[in-house]
Structures are given as C-alpha cells and as structure tokens.
Amino acid sequence: MARIAVHRRLSLTAVALLAAALAMAFAVWTGGSWYASAHDEQAAFARTRDAALQAGERAVQNMNTLDYGDLTRGLDAWEQSATGDLLNELKGSRTQFEQQVRDAKTATTAKVLSGAVTELDERAGRARVMVAIRITVVTADKKISTKDSRMLAELTRTPEGWKLSRLGQAPVGDATAPSTPSGS
C-alpha cells in the first residue's frame, strides 16, 4: 500500500514537472516568435508601406475636397497634407484660390475607392502612390456631378509623417501601345 502511495506521488510530481517544462518551453517559443516578428525587416517595411499608403490616400482625399462655405478648414487641410514646393505653391496662391472658389460657390468631396504604393524608398524617405477616387461636385444651383479619377502622388517623409510633395492625374490607357495604321 505504501509503495502505491509513493509511486502515485512520484507520478504526480513527474506530471507536474513535465507540464511546467512544457509551459516554459511554450513561453520561450512564443516570446522568441514575437521578438523575431517585431524585429523582422519585412514586417517593418510593410508597416512603412502601409503608413505611406494611408497618408497618401488621406492627402489625396483632402486635396480633392473643398467646400466654399468652409474654405478655411479645407485649405488648412490641404496645407497640412503637403510639404516642400507643393506646400509653398498652396500658400502662395491661397488668397486668389479662395476668391475663385467663393465666386463659383462649389463644394467638392472626394471618396477613396482604392490605393496602392507603386514605389517606396525608405532610405530617401520617398514614396509614390496611385489613388482611385470618386469626386462629387455640388454647384451653386445644387446640380450634382460625379467623376472617377486616378491620381499619382509623391510623398516625402517629414518629422510629422508622410506628406504630399507632388500630385497629378494618372494617365489613362496605354500610352506606350503602338498605334494601328488606318486602312489595314
């Protein structure tokens, strides 16, 4: 009887030690996996890419949204989204542009449909994104029109985050395709 009790105690102790060892091994493995993924270059690149895309989409949306009834807020958002020559251009033409929009009495809103990073240079702090947007324009006589557009944006990393340094329309169609001669 005493032998069975001693054997049972040893078995329970062995099971407890095995469970503790397994728990410790699992903790070491998950901690190591977490550390490796947190310091993985690919994961860091993906986070940078995602931050650039998010900032690019937001900036393109800001630059295509403006209500004549609240110009200060809209133009401030434009300036907060830009850096470099683009920011200087926006600031330099702000008064003239405000007057044009007030006279036209239009309100535009943009909605991001999709976006993609087309180029990312982490070392130089530059990124390029393409953003598809839907722009809705409401005129003074309450006519509404919508237009889908693709924008190409160049971003520069600043101490405040990614900002627009250039913005333009993306070309439509294949500009490099050879033309077909007529009559063939």
Side-chain angles (χ1 to χ4, degrees), residues 9-170:
R9 255 184 280 158
L10 287 175
S11 295
L12 290 175
T13 303
V15 168
L17 287 173
L18 180 62
L22 288 173
M24 179 66 84
F26 181 74
V28 167
W29 177 75
T30 56
S33 296
W34 171 82
Y35 182 84
S37 66
H39 295 85
D40 181 11
E41 285 183 29
Q42 289 179 338
F45 184 82
R47 285 189 297 274
T48 301
R49 181 198 62 225
D50 292 347
L53 177 59
Q54 184 179 29
E57 288 177 342
R58 185 176 49 251
V60 169
Q61 183 174 11
N62 287 346
M63 296 296 286
N64 287 280
T65 299
L66 191 62
D67 185 345
Y68 78 95
D70 194 3
L71 281 173
T72 300
R73 184 172 60 145
L75 293 174
D76 287 349
W78 284 19
E79 290 179 9
Q80 291 165 1
S81 299
T83 190
D85 291 341
L86 179 60
L87 177 59
N88 294 336
E89 183 181 326
L90 292 172
K91 287 180 175 182
S93 61
R94 183 172 175 142
T95 303
Q96 178 185 0
F97 191 73
E98 279 184 71
Q99 191 58 50
Q100 290 173 347
V101 174
R102 273 198 189 95
D103 292 346
K105 293 185 168 130
T106 57
T108 60
T109 55
K111 176 185 177 188
V112 173
L113 302 175
S114 65
V117 174
T118 61
E119 192 175 320
L120 177 59
D121 185 340
E122 286 184 286
R123 288 186 193 165
R126 281 191 301 253
R128 289 193 176 144
V129 297
M130 180 181 284
V131 180
I133 57 172
R134 177 163 293 141
I135 302 169
T136 303
V137 179
V138 180
T139 61
D141 56 356
K142 304 296 183 210
K143 290 185 181 173
I144 299 172
S145 63
T146 60
K147 175 185 165 189
D148 290 350
S149 182
R150 291 184 309 175
M151 307 294 294
L152 291 175
E154 188 171 299
L155 302 163
T156 300
R157 187 175 43 228
T158 71
E160 297 84 36
W162 292 97
K163 304 253 181 166
L164 277 178
S165 48
R166 297 179 85 198
L167 181 63
Q169 290 283 338

